[in-house]
Amino acid sequence: MPVEFSGTDGGDTHGAAAKAAKAPPPAPAAGARVRTHRGYGGNRVLLASTTARTATLPAGGAPGDRGDARETGTGEPPPKVVTTRHPWRWVAAAGIAVLLAMVASALITNPAWEWEVVGEYLFAPSVLRAVVFTLELTALGIVFGFLLGTVLALMRLSRNPLLNSVAWGYIALFRSVPLILQLLFWYNLALLYPRISFGVPFGPAFFDIGTMDLIGPVTAAALGLALHQAAYAAEIVRAGLLSVDHGQREAAAALGIPRTRQLFRIVLPQAMRSIVPTAGNEIIGLVKGTSVVYIMALPELFYQVQVIYNRNGRVIALLLVATIWYLVMTSVMSVAQHYIERYYGRGRA
């Protein structure tokens, strides 16, 4: 006699498996409380079942998720959605808000800060000239420092032992000596060499010039800042160049691209992603570091406010003037650094 097979008893196991795979996930138990946790991958739902019975939920999710208060198909109330609470965050925020209010009150209500004197001298012509001079010293130190630092970085990466050793020795020396000592050395260079001659090395000199005429206070300050900054810039640039995968250079060499073009068109633009953040910090540090040239009686910002408060005795008010201007300069540079980082970070995953 003919034998008939039922499709649900094994004749259509693949179809049954497909239907099981397409079936929606089981609904949460009736009366269960749903607790949501916010995480990096979205909300995770944890179900704490309070009964063994299964609730039948309408299509589209839990009624409570759609804001509708209808009961489930079994007559049970819908599950409640409970958001995780973080009470200590609010406690910490309240404490910080109280501290900020106390600091603001101390700054505003204490007459010893002399805010009227701060407003009087904040835009004084002598202070503005000092701000401009501070920015000029910073620009000179950064431009010449990073130019020399790039050369030193390339020397450090060179396979020539002499170039590598000279660059290493320069970096070790100028990073070990405090900046104020370097500035005093260049300022008093005339005590060692009263005149500087130009001509053939170890041969006759064509002409010479007095050291004091060649290296004045401003030149000595710019020279000291640039040479000091070059030691740090060299390590920053070297680290950036080493961060570029060596396969980039190999691919460029396989295409026959000259080494100079490889450096400026392929390697350096990628290295800037690593160079810019650290270089930005160095520039901001140099803005504040220019204050040490006050020992050379140069009219930068810190020296100028010293001159004013030695004359009128308003020490705190004039120090606040310098503080405000340093904050303004460093804040502008920080914003510029942010946009430069975003420019060189294009295409990074």
Side-chain angles (χ1 to χ4, degrees):
M1 61 181 297
V3 181
E4 296 182 359
F5 293 95
S6 173
T8 58
D9 292 336
D12 189 16
T13 55
H14 295 288
K19 292 179 180 180
K22 295 180 180 179
R33 300 186 68 190
V34 181
R35 185 175 297 274
T36 61
H37 294 269
R38 295 199 176 271
Y40 292 108
N43 291 342
R44 293 183 297 173
V45 180
L46 302 181
L47 301 178
S49 178
T50 58
T51 177
R53 291 176 296 177
T54 302
T56 304
L57 299 180
D65 293 343
R66 302 195 308 271
D68 107 264
R70 294 177 300 174
E71 295 185 353
T72 61
T74 60
E76 299 281 347
K80 296 180 180 180
V81 178
V82 181
T83 304
T84 303
R85 295 176 174 84
H86 303 281
W88 288 110
R89 292 183 184 178
W90 293 102
V91 172
I96 292 175
V98 171
L99 289 176
L100 290 176
M102 293 172 61
V103 171
S105 176
L107 290 174
I108 295 173
T109 60
N110 190 349
W113 289 104
E114 297 181 315
W115 290 104
E116 65 281 358
V117 179
V118 174
E120 177 184 353
Y121 285 97
L122 188 61
F123 297 101
S126 59
V127 174
L128 293 179
R129 287 194 296 269
V131 171
V132 173
F133 185 67
T134 300
L135 293 175
E136 290 175 351
L137 284 178
T138 303
L140 290 173
I142 288 299
V143 171
F144 291 104
F146 269 87
L147 287 176
L148 179 57
T150 303
V151 175
L152 290 171
L154 296 176
M155 291 171 63
R156 285 278 285 125
L157 296 173
S158 174
R159 296 181 181 178
N160 188 308
L162 178 60
L163 296 178
N164 193 308
S165 300
V166 169
W168 182 88
Y170 178 96
I171 294 170
L173 174 64
F174 279 85
R175 288 199 305 180
S176 302
V177 180
L179 176 59
I180 191 170
L181 293 182
Q182 298 180 38
L183 292 173
L184 288 173
F185 172 81
W186 293 109
Y187 186 64
N188 296 287
L189 186 62
L191 299 177
L192 291 173
Y193 303 99
R195 302 189 69 82
I196 298 177
S197 60
F198 298 89
V200 179
F202 305 104
F206 300 141
F207 65 94
D208 58 11
I209 188 172
T211 304
M212 290 296 296
D213 299 328
L214 181 63
I215 303 178
V218 177
T219 305
L223 189 60
L225 292 173
L227 294 178
H228 174 78
Q229 191 62 43
Y232 293 91
E235 292 298 281
I236 294 172
V237 175
R238 184 175 72 92
L241 295 176
L242 290 176
S243 68
V244 180
D245 186 69
H246 188 68
Q248 299 286 328
R249 300 183 182 89
E250 293 178 346
L255 294 173
I257 300 176
R259 293 182 63 86
T260 304
R261 192 173 182 184
Q262 291 179 29
L263 174 65
F264 289 101
R265 298 299 298 274
I266 297 175
V267 177
L268 196 56
Q270 298 181 70
M272 291 296 288
R273 294 176 177 178
S274 301
I275 293 173
V276 169
T278 314
N281 294 335
E282 284 295 318
I283 295 173
I284 292 173
L286 189 60
V287 172
K288 299 174 291 184
T290 54
S291 59
V292 300
V293 304
Y294 79 94
I295 60 172
M296 304 165 68
L298 291 176
E300 52 83 37
L301 180 59
F302 182 62
Y303 177 82
Q304 189 60 41
V305 298
Q306 281 185 311
V307 170
I308 297 175
Y309 72 62
N310 285 333
R311 187 171 62 244
N312 61 14
R314 307 291 188 179
V315 178
I316 299 298
L318 269 300
L319 290 178
L320 274 176
V321 170
T323 301
I324 292 172
W325 276 114
Y326 279 122
L327 282 173
V328 170
M329 289 186 287
T330 55
S331 299
V332 171
M333 291 181 179
S334 297
V335 173
Q337 176 186 348
H338 166 73
Y339 284 103
I340 295 174
E341 286 183 22
R342 191 170 69 174
Y343 173 79
Y344 283 106
R346 294 175 303 172
R348 174 176 287 182

